[in-house]
Amino acid sequence: VQLLARFASAQGEETNLNGRFHEDVQTLFHQEVARHFEYEAAERSFHVLNKGASGQARLLEVLRCLADNLQDYESRLDARELAWDSKAQCLMPLGTELRQRLAREALESMECALMISLRNAAAEPSPASLARLAARQVQLRAECAALLERKTDITQAHQECAAELRREVMLFEA
């Protein structure tokens, strides 16, 4: 009886497992997009600050970086057919409405980083401001790598759990 119940619940368990996986990956992906934007903005700011660019030029570079990162995100969406819909709590075809909502969510996830990046770009050029920006780049690079590693770990754990569920179903069917 317990074995039959386990087999019967396997499909629902797999659906829940897949849902949690896609939700977690989508969340991490938006965190990664925001962190990567901040990292790239810090790199660009360091470069133009080091060259002695005007405050206006430095601020414009941060805005160009934001536009480039949003365009990159939208290109990634264009390459996909499905995406996790947090409202429906499932994978959905990537239609216009979902695409726009995900792009808006990505932009919202970058807003805090945009404010930090604009503040950094507006800083007066000095050895201290360059040192702070260089240190921030190192920290952000490490955070980007950690997010990517977390995404890899989650994917691996998901694949292992899914394989275990499939093995249990195959054993029962045999």
Side-chain angles (χ1 to χ4, degrees):
V1 174
Q2 194 175 29
L3 189 58
L4 285 173
R6 177 74 179 129
F7 178 73
S9 69
Q11 182 67 34
E13 197 172 323
E14 184 177 19
T15 300
N16 289 337
L17 177 70
N18 288 335
R20 282 191 312 273
F21 168 71
H22 289 294
E23 185 174 24
D24 290 347
V25 167
Q26 183 84 357
T27 299
L28 281 173
F29 181 60
H30 277 181
Q31 290 173 1
E32 184 183 0
V33 164
R35 213 41 92 232
H36 183 268
F37 159 67
E38 189 178 355
Y39 169 66
E40 189 175 329
E43 273 190 327
R44 290 184 186 196
S45 292
F46 182 83
H47 180 73
V48 296
L49 192 63
N50 213 13
K51 284 184 149 186
S54 70
Q56 182 181 7
R58 295 189 313 261
L59 294 173
L60 286 173
E61 189 60 34
V62 169
L63 295 177
R64 267 193 293 279
C65 183
L66 176 67
D68 290 347
N69 276 263
L70 285 171
Q71 186 176 24
D72 179 61
Y73 180 82
E74 289 172 354
S75 294
R76 288 178 173 192
L77 287 180
D78 289 343
R80 297 169 61 190
E81 293 179 23
L82 301 171
W84 180 257
D85 185 337
S86 58
K87 288 184 179 178
Q89 291 292 298
C90 64
L91 280 177
M92 296 289 287
L94 200 48
T96 303
E97 183 183 322
L98 182 55
R99 186 179 308 277
Q100 289 173 347
R101 184 160 36 100
L102 289 173
R104 194 171 45 253
E105 288 173 6
L107 176 59
E108 288 169 1
S109 74
M110 290 186 235
E111 285 177 351
C112 183
L114 175 62
M115 295 301 120
I116 292 167
S117 299
L118 288 170
R119 186 186 70 226
N120 288 338
E124 286 300 316
S126 71
S129 63
L130 285 168
R132 280 192 303 275
L133 209 44
R136 185 72 178 139
Q137 286 179 68
V138 170
Q139 178 186 358
L140 289 166
R141 188 178 316 123
E143 289 176 14
C144 287
L147 285 166
L148 187 58
E149 187 174 326
R150 235 174 108 203
K151 212 165 52 173
T152 300
D153 291 345
I154 286 172
T155 300
Q156 183 177 359
H158 168 74
Q159 289 172 343
E160 290 169 0
C161 287
E164 181 61 30
L165 277 173
R166 283 191 295 277
R167 271 193 299 278
E168 287 180 13
V169 168
M170 288 187 331
L171 284 173
F172 182 78
E173 289 175 340

